[in-house]
Amino acid sequence: MTTSRRKLIAGNWKMNGLKASLAEALAVAEALERQPCTERVAICPPATLIAPMAQVLQGSQVQVGGQNCYTQPMGAFTGEISAEMLADAGASLVILAHSERRQFFGETDESAAEKVRAALRAGLEPIVCVGETLDERRAGRTLEIVARQVRGSCPPELRGCVFAVAYEPVWAIGTGLTPTLEEIEQVHGAIRGLLAESLAEAGRTAPILYGGSVKPSNARDILAASEVGGALVGGASLKADDFLGIIRAAA
Ligand code: 13P
């Protein structure tokens, strides 16, 4: 099985976590050391914790990722962090264009594509997020919106690269609501078609993660759905026990 065919279970801590929270990441790593899993596991903490988390998790099965990066490698861009800086701090992945970035920080498909190029330049594996709002779903526009986001946010440079796409319906994030398995399979199938069409082999094999209210209790069914190549987990990744429950459900 190639790296890209293994499921990827990634935790997005969002703007949560202080130094004391490193204990949760360490608990995940230690549990996986005692009982290894075949999936890939990553935690994406706030930028302040990337370096110390990478240190704590060194030699473990758990990779560390960023939640965003700027397009330029360095320079006079106060407050921004480059992909190169994330890599230097110990990250090997980066979440890009999360719906909260799109919603609160004006990110677009164009800026997402630029950031994907920046991530690749720095040797990071991008996790590109897409997903419709509740209004868009109610209007029957889910596939149209997701297709536009995939086309606009996944540039041709991804051909030949290791990357992931995360389908996260905005209305499912932090709400406890999830689409039906059929709805997830429909969107993931559509994303696979688009990626395969535009990105050749890389597009055929990139894992398509599902995100939005994934918990230990629903993870098994979701992760077994067709074209679901992993999960991007918010709230339930903050506690080692919950995150481990999801990781174990992937097996
Ligand atoms: P929740 O798992 O808290 O719904 O968040 C999902 C998410 O946004 C992960 O990026």
Side-chain angles (χ1 to χ4, degrees):
M1 195 187 276
T2 64
T3 303
S4 51
R5 281 294 183 193
R6 290 163 67 200
K7 284 194 165 50
L8 170 61
I9 312 297
N12 174 9
W13 280 16
K14 308 192 179 186
M15 200 176 73
N16 298 291
L18 301 172
K19 276 181 282 184
S21 321
L22 294 172
E24 297 295 330
L26 185 61
V28 172
E30 286 176 346
L32 293 177
E33 203 152 309
R34 285 193 297 274
Q35 193 188 336
C37 72
T38 53
E39 322 307 328
R40 296 171 63 212
V41 178
I43 299 177
C44 304
T48 48
L49 291 183
I50 290 175
M53 186 177 286
Q55 200 158 14
V56 161
L57 297 180
Q58 205 167 20
S60 83
Q61 209 199 313
V62 185
Q63 295 176 256
V64 179
Q67 300 176 8
N68 177 38
C69 70
Y70 191 54
T71 55
Q72 302 303 310
M74 70 191 77
F77 304 103
T78 301
E80 292 297 313
I81 297 175
S82 71
E84 282 78 359
M85 290 167 178
L86 295 178
D88 185 54
S92 53
L93 316 90
V94 61
I95 298 169
L96 293 175
H98 188 279
S99 65
E100 287 147 20
R101 301 287 323 164
R102 293 179 187 260
Q103 193 179 349
F104 303 128
F105 303 99
E107 296 221 2
T108 62
D109 294 332
E110 290 71 30
S111 64
E114 276 304 306
K115 290 180 177 194
V116 167
R117 291 187 187 98
L120 297 178
R121 184 187 65 215
L124 296 177
E125 175 180 348
I127 302 176
V128 184
C129 301
V130 299
E132 82 286 359
T133 64
L134 188 56
D135 282 351
E136 289 162 346
R137 174 161 285 268
R138 285 192 174 136
R141 298 180 60 208
T142 298
L143 293 181
E144 169 204 332
I145 296 295
V146 169
R148 190 205 73 211
Q149 292 173 335
V150 170
R151 285 201 184 95
S153 309
C154 296
E157 287 86 345
L158 283 170
R159 275 175 183 238
C161 294
V162 177
F163 72 101
V165 168
Y167 169 54
E168 300 203 305
V170 178
W171 53 272
I173 295 175
T175 58
L177 303 171
T178 56
T180 65
L181 293 176
E182 290 71 26
E183 286 166 339
I184 292 174
E185 289 184 341
Q186 184 192 32
V187 178
H188 280 234
I191 293 173
R192 175 63 72 212
L194 289 163
L195 294 176
E197 190 182 288
S198 59
L199 300 172
E201 181 62 13
R204 285 192 288 275
T205 54
I208 303 170
L209 318 185
Y210 169 79
S213 296
V214 177
K215 337 177 249 258
S217 58
N218 62 15
R220 191 168 298 279
D221 287 344
I222 291 174
L223 287 165
S226 125
E227 291 297 359
V228 174
L232 186 54
V233 184
S237 71
L238 294 169
K239 289 279 163 239
D241 284 350
D242 289 343
F243 195 44
L244 282 163
I246 293 168
I247 293 166
R248 299 296 183 207

